[in-house]
C-alpha cells in the first residue's frame, strides 16, 4: 500500500474512467442483472450496477482490464452505491458486505495480473465510496427545512461497513468521491479513521468533491477552498474534484486548491457536459487537450475521467500525463500562511 506514495513522487498517476458508461454498452437486461441467484427477487434490479459484481463478475473484471490496458494506474471498485443507505432502494441492504468484498476482489485480481506483467508500473485499486442518495446538511422537504432524511451516525455506520468490506477484499486505498455534502463526507472519513484505528492499518484515502453548478460551489454550499479547509484535519492522500463539470469548467476550482494544500491533488472530470439526450460527446482528443492545461499549470498529481469517459479517453490522458512531472506539493507552513 505504501507503494502508491512512492509512485506519486515519480509520476502523475492515471485513474480509470467511467464504469457506468462501459456497462451501458453491454445492454444488460433485467434477467442479466438478476442472474440465477436473484431470479425470483421481489424488487426490480436493473440499474443496480454494483450487483453486477456478483451476477456478471467477468464483465466487471474485463472493464477493469481495459482501463489498465489503456494506461490507468488505479481502477475504482464497482461500489459507488455500495452502502445500506443506497441499497435500500433495491431492498438489498443485507448484501452490502458481499457486494463490496467481491467488487474489491475482482478489481484486485485484475490489478495483480497487470502488475505481474509490468512490475515497473504497479497497479492499484481504489475502493469507491459514493455519496449515498441522502444528504445530512439539507432537507429533502421544502416545507420542512429542519428535516433530515439521514443522520450523521447512520451515515457513519453505513460507510464503516462498506470500508471494512473493501479493506477485506484487498483494496490499496479508499476513494470517497462525488462529495456534494461535506457532512456526508465527514461521516465517511470518520468511519474510515475508525476502521484504521481498530485494525491498526494505514490505509491511504482520496477525497473528491463535486462542484454542482456555475456558482462554483458544492450542493451544500461550499466553495472549493472552503471544502479543502473543512477536511484538511484528516490525513488524506489526495483531494480534488470529479463529475458534474467538464475538464475546462473544472480547472478554476482545481486552481483554487492546488497551491493551498500539501495533499496530492486529483481530478476526474466528465467528458464535457451532457447533451439533450444525457449523452457525452466530448472526444478523447478534445478532453485530453483540456486536461493538458492542468498539467501545464502544475495542478495535478492524479488524473482520470468520470461520466462519459472510456478507455479511449484514458489512453489519451495517460499519454499526455506521461509527458509531465507531477505537481510538487507545498509545505504545511505555506498552507497555514495561505489559509
Amino acid at each position: 500500500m505504501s507503494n502508491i506514495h512512492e509512485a506519486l513522487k515519480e509520476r502523475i498517476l492515471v485513474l480509470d474512467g467511467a464504469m457506468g458508461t462501459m456497462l451501458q454498452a453491454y445492454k444488460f437486461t433485467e434477467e442479466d442483472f438478476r442472474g440465477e441467484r436473484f431470479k425470483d427477487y421481489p424488487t426490480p434490479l436493473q440499474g443496480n450496477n454494483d450487483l453486477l459484481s456478483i451476477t456478471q463478475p467477468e464483465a466487471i473484471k474485463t472493464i477493469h482490464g481495459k482501463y489498465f490496458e489503456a494506461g490507468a494506474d488505479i481502477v475504482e471498485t464497482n461500489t459507488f452505491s455500495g452502502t445500506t443507505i443506497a441499497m435500500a432502494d433495491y431492498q438489498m441492504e443485507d448484501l452490502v458486505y458481499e457486494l463490496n468484498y467481491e467488487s474489491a476482489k475482482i478489481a484486485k485480481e485484475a490489478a495483480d495480473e497487470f502488475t505481474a506483467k509490468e512490475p515497473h508500473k504497479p497497479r492499484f485499486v481504489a475502493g469507491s465510496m459514493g455519496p449515498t442518495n441522502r444528504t445530512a446538511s439539507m432537507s429533502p422537504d421544502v416545507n420542512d427545512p429542519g428535516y433530515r432524511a439521514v443522520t450523521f451516525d447512520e451515515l457513519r455506520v453505513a460507510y464503516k461497513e462498506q470500508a471494512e468490506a473493501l479493506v477485506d477484499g484487498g483494496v490499496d486505498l479508499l476513494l470517497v468521491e462525488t462529495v456534494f455534502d461535506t457532512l456526508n463526507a465527514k461521516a465517511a472519513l470518520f468511519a474510515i479513521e475508525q476502521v484504521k484505528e481498530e485494525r491498526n492499518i494505514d490505509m491511504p484515502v482520496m477525497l473528491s468533491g463535486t462542484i454542482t453548478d456555475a456558482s462554483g460551489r458544492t450542493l451544500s454550499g461550499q466553495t472549493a477552498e472552503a471544502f479543502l479547509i473543512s477536511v484538511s484535519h484528516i490525513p488524506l492522500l489526495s483531494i480534488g474534484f470529479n463529475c458534474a463539470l467538464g475538464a475546462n469548467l473544472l480547472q478554476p476550482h482545481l486552481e483554487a486548491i492546488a497551491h493551498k494544500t500539501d495533499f496530492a491533488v486529483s481530478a476526474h472530470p466528465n467528458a464535457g457536459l451532457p447533451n439533450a439526450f444525457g449523452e457525452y460527446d466530448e472526444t478523447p482528443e478534445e478532453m485530453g487537450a483540456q486536461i493538458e492545461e492542468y498539467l501545464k499549470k502544475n495542478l495535478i498529481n492524479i488524473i482520470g475521467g468520470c461520466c462519459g469517459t472510456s478507455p479511449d479517453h484514458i489512453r489519451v490522458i495517460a499519454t499526455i500525463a506521461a509527458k509531465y512531472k507531477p505537481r510538487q506539493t507545498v509545505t504545511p507552513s505555506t498552507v497555514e500562511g495561505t489559509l
Side-chain angles (χ1 to χ4, degrees):
M1 285 186 282
S2 61
N3 284 347
I4 196 159
H5 295 280
E6 295 304 313
L8 272 172
K9 292 175 190 171
E10 295 167 6
R11 64 188 190 275
I12 294 171
L13 297 185
V14 178
L15 194 63
D16 62 3
M19 174 62 75
T21 301
M22 296 294 286
L23 287 174
Q24 283 171 9
Y26 280 87
K27 295 184 167 55
F28 285 132
T29 63
E30 176 73 26
E31 288 68 33
D32 294 323
F33 273 86
R34 288 174 176 270
E36 187 61 27
R37 179 172 164 187
F38 302 102
K39 66 177 183 179
D40 298 321
Y41 210 76
T43 58
L45 299 178
Q46 191 170 13
N48 185 357
N49 286 349
D50 294 25
L51 181 61
L52 295 172
S53 295
I54 293 175
T55 56
Q56 302 291 338
E58 281 305 312
I60 302 301
K61 188 174 179 182
T62 298
I63 291 168
H64 290 321
K66 284 182 178 177
Y67 279 123
F68 279 137
E69 207 173 328
D73 297 283
I74 308 167
V75 297
E76 300 173 50
T77 55
N78 180 40
T79 54
F80 187 79
S81 300
T83 58
T84 49
I85 293 168
M87 280 295 146
D89 287 353
Y90 300 97
Q91 297 176 26
M92 285 193 151
E93 297 95 322
D94 292 345
L95 275 173
V96 161
Y97 183 91
E98 184 182 356
L99 285 171
N100 284 278
Y101 180 84
E102 291 301 326
S103 295
K105 203 172 146 197
I106 291 165
K108 190 62 178 169
E109 282 174 10
D112 287 347
E113 286 170 15
F114 275 84
T115 299
K117 282 191 280 188
E118 300 176 300
H120 64 282
K121 186 181 178 179
R123 304 306 214 279
F124 304 98
V125 174
S128 172
M129 301 174 70
T132 83
N133 48 7
R134 297 186 189 180
T135 172
S137 292
M138 294 169 285
S139 172
D141 183 354
V142 292
N143 298 313
D144 187 0
Y147 172 70
R148 297 292 181 270
V150 69
T151 67
F152 182 91
D153 205 51
E154 285 168 342
L155 286 164
R156 179 194 63 79
V157 169
Y159 276 125
K160 188 166 185 249
E161 182 180 8
Q162 182 177 33
E164 286 170 337
L166 290 168
V167 170
D168 289 346
V171 300
D172 302 295
L173 60 147
L174 293 169
L175 168 56
V176 180
E177 63 173 323
T178 322
V179 174
F180 60 79
D181 181 347
T182 309
L183 195 56
N184 284 39
K186 286 186 173 186
L189 295 170
F190 186 70
I192 292 167
E193 290 304 306
Q194 282 187 308
V195 173
K196 286 164 66 173
E197 188 176 341
E198 287 172 9
R199 299 186 176 209
N200 194 25
I201 57 171
D202 182 18
M203 175 64 62
V205 179
M206 293 176 64
L207 179 65
S208 185
T210 188
I211 301 294
T212 51
D213 57 37
S215 72
R217 294 175 182 268
T218 63
L219 191 65
S220 57
Q222 284 188 311
T223 62
E225 190 173 352
F227 173 63
L228 167 66
I229 294 167
S230 66
V231 295
S232 287
H233 60 291
I234 297 285
L236 299 172
L237 175 74
S238 69
I239 189 166
F241 295 102
N242 72 289
C243 205
L245 303 175
N248 58 340
L249 295 174
L250 196 58
Q251 184 170 319
H253 310 301
L254 294 169
E255 290 173 353
I257 66 169
H259 305 301
K260 294 173 182 170
T261 181
D262 59 333
F263 300 143
V265 171
S266 73
H268 49 298
N270 291 346
L273 294 174
N275 61 26
F277 302 101
E279 296 169 345
Y280 294 85
D281 300 321
E282 201 163 85
T283 66
E285 291 71 26
E286 288 168 340
M287 189 175 182
Q290 293 170 30
I291 280 174
E292 190 158 14
E293 294 303 311
Y294 299 177
L295 310 182
K296 287 176 182 174
K297 294 192 173 186
N298 190 34
L299 300 177
I300 289 293
N301 302 94
I302 303 171
I303 187 71
C306 202
C307 303
T309 57
S310 66
D312 290 337
H313 290 82
I314 298 306
R315 187 172 288 106
V316 169
I317 290 168
T319 302
I320 293 168
K323 298 189 295 184
Y324 291 86
K325 291 182 178 175
R327 162 188 163 273
Q328 297 301 301
T329 56
V330 296
T331 62
S333 58
T334 312
V335 177
E336 287 163 18
T338 310
L339 299 182

